Short mmCIF file of all heavy atoms in Angstrom, two decimals:
data_model
loop_
_atom_site.label_atom_id
_atom_site.label_comp_id
_atom_site.label_asym_id
_atom_site.label_seq_id
_atom_site.Cartn_x
_atom_site.Cartn_y
_atom_site.Cartn_z
N ARG A 1 2.18 13.59 -7.55
CA ARG A 1 2.89 12.32 -7.56
C ARG A 1 4.02 12.30 -6.54
O ARG A 1 4.23 11.30 -5.84
CB ARG A 1 3.41 12.02 -8.96
CG ARG A 1 2.34 11.55 -9.92
CD ARG A 1 2.92 11.10 -11.25
NE ARG A 1 3.52 12.19 -11.99
CZ ARG A 1 2.85 13.07 -12.74
NH1 ARG A 1 1.54 12.98 -12.83
NH2 ARG A 1 3.49 14.03 -13.38
N ALA A 2 4.75 13.40 -6.43
CA ALA A 2 5.85 13.47 -5.47
C ALA A 2 5.33 13.37 -4.04
O ALA A 2 5.90 12.65 -3.22
CB ALA A 2 6.62 14.77 -5.66
N LEU A 3 4.23 14.06 -3.75
CA LEU A 3 3.67 13.99 -2.40
C LEU A 3 3.12 12.61 -2.09
O LEU A 3 3.29 12.10 -0.97
CB LEU A 3 2.56 15.04 -2.24
CG LEU A 3 3.04 16.48 -2.17
CD1 LEU A 3 1.85 17.44 -2.23
CD2 LEU A 3 3.86 16.72 -0.90
N GLU A 4 2.49 11.99 -3.07
CA GLU A 4 1.97 10.64 -2.84
C GLU A 4 3.11 9.67 -2.55
O GLU A 4 3.03 8.86 -1.61
CB GLU A 4 1.18 10.15 -4.05
CG GLU A 4 0.61 8.77 -3.85
CD GLU A 4 -0.23 8.29 -5.02
OE1 GLU A 4 -0.46 9.04 -5.97
OE2 GLU A 4 -0.64 7.13 -4.96
N THR A 5 4.17 9.75 -3.31
CA THR A 5 5.33 8.89 -3.08
C THR A 5 5.91 9.12 -1.70
O THR A 5 6.22 8.18 -0.97
CB THR A 5 6.40 9.15 -4.16
OG1 THR A 5 5.84 8.85 -5.44
CG2 THR A 5 7.63 8.30 -3.93
N GLU A 6 6.02 10.39 -1.32
CA GLU A 6 6.63 10.74 -0.04
C GLU A 6 5.79 10.28 1.15
O GLU A 6 6.33 9.78 2.13
CB GLU A 6 6.83 12.25 0.03
CG GLU A 6 7.52 12.71 1.30
CD GLU A 6 7.77 14.20 1.31
OE1 GLU A 6 7.73 14.84 0.24
OE2 GLU A 6 8.01 14.72 2.40
N TYR A 7 4.49 10.42 1.06
CA TYR A 7 3.64 10.17 2.23
C TYR A 7 2.91 8.83 2.23
O TYR A 7 2.34 8.45 3.24
CB TYR A 7 2.62 11.30 2.37
CG TYR A 7 3.28 12.59 2.75
CD1 TYR A 7 3.42 13.62 1.84
CD2 TYR A 7 3.78 12.78 4.04
CE1 TYR A 7 4.04 14.80 2.18
CE2 TYR A 7 4.41 13.96 4.40
CZ TYR A 7 4.53 14.97 3.46
OH TYR A 7 5.15 16.14 3.82
N ARG A 8 2.91 8.12 1.13
CA ARG A 8 2.16 6.87 1.05
C ARG A 8 2.62 5.86 2.10
O ARG A 8 1.80 5.29 2.83
CB ARG A 8 2.28 6.25 -0.33
CG ARG A 8 1.63 4.85 -0.38
CD ARG A 8 1.72 4.26 -1.72
NE ARG A 8 0.62 4.83 -2.48
CZ ARG A 8 0.31 4.49 -3.69
NH1 ARG A 8 1.02 3.59 -4.31
NH2 ARG A 8 -0.70 5.04 -4.31
N ALA A 9 3.90 5.61 2.18
CA ALA A 9 4.41 4.61 3.13
C ALA A 9 4.05 5.00 4.56
O ALA A 9 3.61 4.15 5.35
CB ALA A 9 5.92 4.46 2.99
N GLU A 10 4.20 6.27 4.88
CA GLU A 10 3.87 6.73 6.22
C GLU A 10 2.38 6.58 6.52
O GLU A 10 2.00 6.14 7.59
CB GLU A 10 4.28 8.20 6.38
CG GLU A 10 4.04 8.76 7.76
CD GLU A 10 4.44 10.22 7.85
OE1 GLU A 10 5.36 10.65 7.14
OE2 GLU A 10 3.81 10.92 8.65
N ALA A 11 1.55 6.92 5.56
CA ALA A 11 0.10 6.85 5.76
C ALA A 11 -0.37 5.40 5.88
O ALA A 11 -1.33 5.11 6.60
CB ALA A 11 -0.62 7.55 4.61
N LEU A 12 0.28 4.50 5.17
CA LEU A 12 -0.14 3.09 5.19
C LEU A 12 0.46 2.28 6.34
O LEU A 12 0.03 1.17 6.60
CB LEU A 12 0.21 2.42 3.86
CG LEU A 12 -0.58 2.88 2.65
CD1 LEU A 12 -0.08 2.18 1.39
CD2 LEU A 12 -2.06 2.64 2.84
N ARG A 13 1.44 2.84 7.02
CA ARG A 13 2.13 2.11 8.09
C ARG A 13 1.15 1.49 9.10
O ARG A 13 1.29 0.32 9.44
CB ARG A 13 3.14 3.01 8.78
CG ARG A 13 4.07 2.23 9.70
CD ARG A 13 5.25 3.08 10.17
NE ARG A 13 6.08 3.46 9.03
CZ ARG A 13 6.41 4.73 8.72
NH1 ARG A 13 5.99 5.72 9.47
NH2 ARG A 13 7.16 4.99 7.68
N PRO A 14 0.14 2.21 9.58
CA PRO A 14 -0.78 1.59 10.55
C PRO A 14 -1.61 0.45 9.95
O PRO A 14 -2.22 -0.32 10.66
CB PRO A 14 -1.70 2.74 10.96
CG PRO A 14 -1.01 3.99 10.56
CD PRO A 14 -0.14 3.63 9.41
N TYR A 15 -1.61 0.36 8.63
CA TYR A 15 -2.41 -0.66 7.94
C TYR A 15 -1.52 -1.64 7.19
O TYR A 15 -1.90 -2.16 6.14
CB TYR A 15 -3.39 0.02 6.97
CG TYR A 15 -4.18 1.11 7.62
CD1 TYR A 15 -3.83 2.45 7.46
CD2 TYR A 15 -5.27 0.81 8.43
CE1 TYR A 15 -4.55 3.46 8.07
CE2 TYR A 15 -5.99 1.81 9.06
CZ TYR A 15 -5.62 3.13 8.87
OH TYR A 15 -6.33 4.12 9.49
N ALA A 16 -0.35 -1.91 7.71
CA ALA A 16 0.63 -2.74 7.02
C ALA A 16 0.07 -4.12 6.69
O ALA A 16 0.25 -4.63 5.59
CB ALA A 16 1.90 -2.86 7.84
N GLU A 17 -0.61 -4.75 7.65
CA GLU A 17 -1.16 -6.09 7.40
C GLU A 17 -2.21 -6.05 6.30
O GLU A 17 -2.21 -6.91 5.41
CB GLU A 17 -1.76 -6.66 8.69
CG GLU A 17 -0.74 -7.05 9.72
CD GLU A 17 -1.40 -7.66 10.95
OE1 GLU A 17 -2.45 -8.31 10.83
OE2 GLU A 17 -0.85 -7.45 12.05
N GLU A 18 -3.10 -5.08 6.37
CA GLU A 18 -4.15 -4.97 5.36
C GLU A 18 -3.57 -4.68 3.99
O GLU A 18 -4.01 -5.23 2.97
CB GLU A 18 -5.16 -3.87 5.75
CG GLU A 18 -5.99 -4.19 6.96
CD GLU A 18 -5.34 -3.78 8.28
OE1 GLU A 18 -4.13 -3.48 8.29
OE2 GLU A 18 -6.06 -3.76 9.29
N SER A 19 -2.57 -3.81 3.97
CA SER A 19 -1.93 -3.46 2.71
C SER A 19 -1.23 -4.67 2.08
O SER A 19 -1.33 -4.91 0.87
CB SER A 19 -0.92 -2.33 2.94
OG SER A 19 -0.32 -1.93 1.75
N THR A 20 -0.56 -5.45 2.90
CA THR A 20 0.11 -6.65 2.42
C THR A 20 -0.92 -7.65 1.90
O THR A 20 -0.74 -8.25 0.83
CB THR A 20 0.96 -7.27 3.54
OG1 THR A 20 1.95 -6.32 3.92
CG2 THR A 20 1.63 -8.55 3.08
N ALA A 21 -2.00 -7.84 2.64
CA ALA A 21 -3.06 -8.76 2.21
C ALA A 21 -3.66 -8.31 0.89
O ALA A 21 -3.90 -9.13 0.00
CB ALA A 21 -4.13 -8.87 3.29
N TYR A 22 -3.89 -7.01 0.75
CA TYR A 22 -4.44 -6.46 -0.50
C TYR A 22 -3.51 -6.76 -1.67
O TYR A 22 -3.95 -7.21 -2.73
CB TYR A 22 -4.66 -4.96 -0.36
CG TYR A 22 -4.94 -4.27 -1.66
CD1 TYR A 22 -6.20 -4.37 -2.26
CD2 TYR A 22 -3.95 -3.54 -2.32
CE1 TYR A 22 -6.46 -3.76 -3.47
CE2 TYR A 22 -4.20 -2.92 -3.54
CZ TYR A 22 -5.46 -3.04 -4.10
OH TYR A 22 -5.71 -2.43 -5.30
N ARG A 23 -2.22 -6.50 -1.49
CA ARG A 23 -1.27 -6.76 -2.58
C ARG A 23 -1.24 -8.23 -2.96
O ARG A 23 -1.20 -8.59 -4.13
CB ARG A 23 0.13 -6.27 -2.18
CG ARG A 23 0.27 -4.76 -2.27
CD ARG A 23 1.73 -4.31 -2.21
NE ARG A 23 2.47 -4.81 -1.08
CZ ARG A 23 2.51 -4.24 0.12
NH1 ARG A 23 1.84 -3.14 0.34
NH2 ARG A 23 3.22 -4.76 1.10
N ARG A 24 -1.27 -9.11 -1.96
CA ARG A 24 -1.27 -10.56 -2.24
C ARG A 24 -2.53 -10.97 -3.01
O ARG A 24 -2.46 -11.72 -3.98
CB ARG A 24 -1.18 -11.35 -0.95
CG ARG A 24 0.19 -11.34 -0.35
CD ARG A 24 0.24 -12.20 0.90
NE ARG A 24 1.53 -12.08 1.54
CZ ARG A 24 1.73 -12.13 2.83
NH1 ARG A 24 0.72 -12.34 3.65
NH2 ARG A 24 2.95 -12.00 3.32
N MET A 25 -3.69 -10.48 -2.55
CA MET A 25 -4.94 -10.83 -3.23
C MET A 25 -4.96 -10.29 -4.65
O MET A 25 -5.42 -10.96 -5.58
CB MET A 25 -6.14 -10.29 -2.45
CG MET A 25 -6.40 -11.05 -1.17
SD MET A 25 -7.92 -10.53 -0.34
CE MET A 25 -7.46 -8.91 0.26
N ARG A 26 -4.44 -9.08 -4.83
CA ARG A 26 -4.41 -8.48 -6.16
C ARG A 26 -3.54 -9.29 -7.11
O ARG A 26 -3.91 -9.56 -8.25
CB ARG A 26 -3.90 -7.05 -6.03
CG ARG A 26 -3.94 -6.27 -7.30
CD ARG A 26 -3.59 -4.83 -7.02
NE ARG A 26 -3.53 -4.11 -8.28
CZ ARG A 26 -2.64 -3.22 -8.57
NH1 ARG A 26 -1.73 -2.87 -7.69
NH2 ARG A 26 -2.64 -2.61 -9.73
N LEU A 27 -2.36 -9.68 -6.63
CA LEU A 27 -1.47 -10.49 -7.46
C LEU A 27 -2.06 -11.86 -7.76
O LEU A 27 -1.94 -12.37 -8.88
CB LEU A 27 -0.10 -10.63 -6.79
CG LEU A 27 0.73 -9.35 -6.74
CD1 LEU A 27 1.97 -9.56 -5.88
CD2 LEU A 27 1.11 -8.90 -8.14
N ALA A 28 -2.71 -12.45 -6.77
CA ALA A 28 -3.35 -13.76 -6.99
C ALA A 28 -4.49 -13.63 -8.00
O ALA A 28 -4.65 -14.49 -8.87
CB ALA A 28 -3.88 -14.30 -5.66
N ALA A 29 -5.25 -12.57 -7.91
CA ALA A 29 -6.37 -12.36 -8.84
C ALA A 29 -5.83 -12.14 -10.26
O ALA A 29 -6.40 -12.65 -11.23
CB ALA A 29 -7.21 -11.17 -8.41
N LEU A 30 -4.74 -11.41 -10.37
CA LEU A 30 -4.14 -11.18 -11.69
C LEU A 30 -3.65 -12.50 -12.29
O LEU A 30 -3.89 -12.78 -13.46
CB LEU A 30 -3.00 -10.18 -11.57
CG LEU A 30 -2.28 -9.80 -12.86
CD1 LEU A 30 -3.26 -9.21 -13.85
CD2 LEU A 30 -1.17 -8.81 -12.54
N ALA A 31 -2.99 -13.30 -11.48
CA ALA A 31 -2.52 -14.60 -11.95
C ALA A 31 -3.69 -15.49 -12.38
O ALA A 31 -3.64 -16.14 -13.43
CB ALA A 31 -1.69 -15.29 -10.88
#
């Protein structure tokens, strides 16, 4: 868990747009 927290943001940085789109779609689907 500590390693995931530490490295997640760095690993996802190149995919920022995709990650943001995923979060938006997930929240919309939940709603």
Side-chain angles (χ1 to χ4, degrees):
R1 284 187 294 279
L3 288 171
E4 181 178 355
T5 299
E6 183 177 342
Y7 291 107
R8 174 179 278 185
E10 182 181 330
L12 291 177
R13 192 169 296 125
Y15 310 100
E17 288 182 32
E18 292 88 345
S19 182
T20 299
Y22 168 77
R23 284 194 306 274
R24 285 183 186 147
M25 288 186 289
R26 186 173 175 220
L27 290 172
L30 181 59

